[in-house]
Amino acid sequence: MQIRTANAAAKNEVEAYIINMRGTIPSDDTYSLVSSEKERVSLISELEQSEDWLYEEGRELDAEAYVAKLKELKALVAPVALRASEMVARPKVPFLRGGCTRPLLGDRSYSDGLSQALEAINWTFSIVETWAAENPEVTAEERDKVKAMCANFTEWLAAKEALQTKLSPADSPAFLSTEVSAKLQPIELEVRKIIKKPKPKPPKSNKAMNESASRPDASAAALDGESATAPAESKEPEAAGNSQEGLEAEKEEL
């Protein structure tokens, strides 16, 4: 029973994929932009043939056969599907807004596109300059490292965008949205690490330093007072001893 259920589920996945893509490829505007008419006709033909196979010789097969068929169909559609998804994804690349007052890369609700990714990089350049005056805990080496990382990202993206402008939407993209995110992530991590550095402790005030300096003198005076009273206390037993000897001497005279 479980085997039959698994076989039926795998077959249904193939059927659902065929129906979905057979409707999407000719009607979706993005797919139309990133593929030629010839390419779309060829894909739809392959999907229709696979649907016929599904209801004929592929009617009663095991799950592995359906899984293999689904993989084959996805590989056929993949080039066009990738171009379509990237046309949508590149303008919505998650970008870095480093620092403590702006969301960082992980906050995908602030994904406004490549232009704002560059804007955020420029903002990071400017905030690094404020660190020199306002954040003494950030070293010059750390500031230079962040600026270099931002410069490298800007150069890389400019080169990729220049290549992309030479391509038609139906060509394979010059770069992927995931590459942009991967390039931004190290910058985000570095900025996060730096803004978490503790600020240096403020220097002691003059009053506190004066009070600290006066304490040893007071302690020394107290010690001197104790040593001055010690001999007086030690003389009392001697006085008592002398009085006793005097009494004994008087008795002998009598």
Side-chain angles (χ1 to χ4, degrees):
M1 184 66 179
Q2 290 180 346
I3 294 176
R4 290 182 60 185
T5 302
N7 292 345
K11 181 181 179 180
N12 288 340
E13 284 190 39
V14 176
E15 183 179 33
Y17 182 79
I18 291 172
I19 293 171
N20 178 50
M21 297 312 300
R22 194 181 61 190
T24 299
I25 290 171
S27 62
D28 189 286
D29 290 340
T30 305
Y31 273 77
S32 298
L33 285 172
V34 300
S35 61
S36 65
E37 179 68 22
K38 180 180 179 181
E39 194 172 15
R40 292 192 298 277
V41 168
S42 175
L43 287 174
I44 291 170
S45 175
E46 290 288 346
L47 290 168
E48 288 175 346
Q49 290 177 37
S50 295
E51 189 173 26
D52 292 340
W53 169 86
L54 194 63
Y55 299 133
E56 294 172 2
E57 58 262 39
R59 180 179 240 175
E60 297 288 342
L61 299 177
D62 57 26
E64 290 183 1
Y66 295 123
V67 169
K69 189 65 175 179
L70 182 60
K71 185 177 179 181
E72 174 190 327
L73 292 174
K74 286 183 176 181
L76 285 172
V77 177
V80 175
L82 176 64
R83 297 197 295 270
S85 64
E86 282 300 310
M87 178 165 279
V88 175
R90 276 197 304 273
K92 296 181 180 180
V93 172
F95 64 89
L96 175 141
R97 288 185 175 184
C100 56
T101 60
R102 298 191 180 191
L104 293 175
L105 185 69
D107 191 342
R108 292 175 179 265
S109 63
Y110 288 86
S111 302
D112 296 331
L114 294 176
S115 61
Q116 290 198 9
L118 287 173
E119 178 187 336
I121 288 293
N122 291 334
W123 179 86
T124 303
F125 269 121
S126 65
I127 201 66
V128 167
E129 296 302 325
T130 68
W131 286 347
E134 301 175 7
N135 298 78
E137 72 277 8
V138 181
T139 65
E141 290 77 10
E142 289 171 323
R143 295 195 302 271
D144 290 344
K145 181 178 180 180
V146 172
K147 287 192 287 187
M149 293 173 78
C150 290
N152 289 339
F153 172 82
T154 303
E155 292 172 7
W156 173 83
L157 186 58
K160 290 295 184 181
E161 287 190 308
L163 290 174
Q164 185 64 42
T165 58
K166 297 177 182 178
L167 302 174
S168 74
D171 292 325
S172 296
F175 66 102
L176 304 179
S177 57
T178 52
E179 291 180 79
V180 180
S181 298
K183 291 282 185 180
L184 284 170
Q185 190 173 22
I187 305 175
E188 176 191 340
L189 294 176
E190 188 65 24
V191 171
R192 281 184 183 274
K193 182 179 74 173
I194 291 173
I195 63 177
K196 288 180 180 178
K197 289 185 71 175
K199 291 186 177 294
K201 293 182 179 179
K204 288 185 177 180
S205 65
N206 291 335
K207 182 179 178 181
M209 292 177 68
N210 291 337
E211 288 177 356
S212 177
S214 65
R215 284 175 189 166
D217 295 337
S219 300
L223 288 172
D224 289 344
E226 289 177 3
S227 43
T229 57
E233 292 175 357
S234 62
K235 287 178 180 179
E236 290 180 3
E238 289 184 21
N242 292 339
S243 298
Q244 185 67 28
E245 289 175 0
L247 289 173
E248 290 177 356
E250 288 178 5
K251 286 180 181 179
E252 288 178 2
E253 289 176 1
L254 291 174

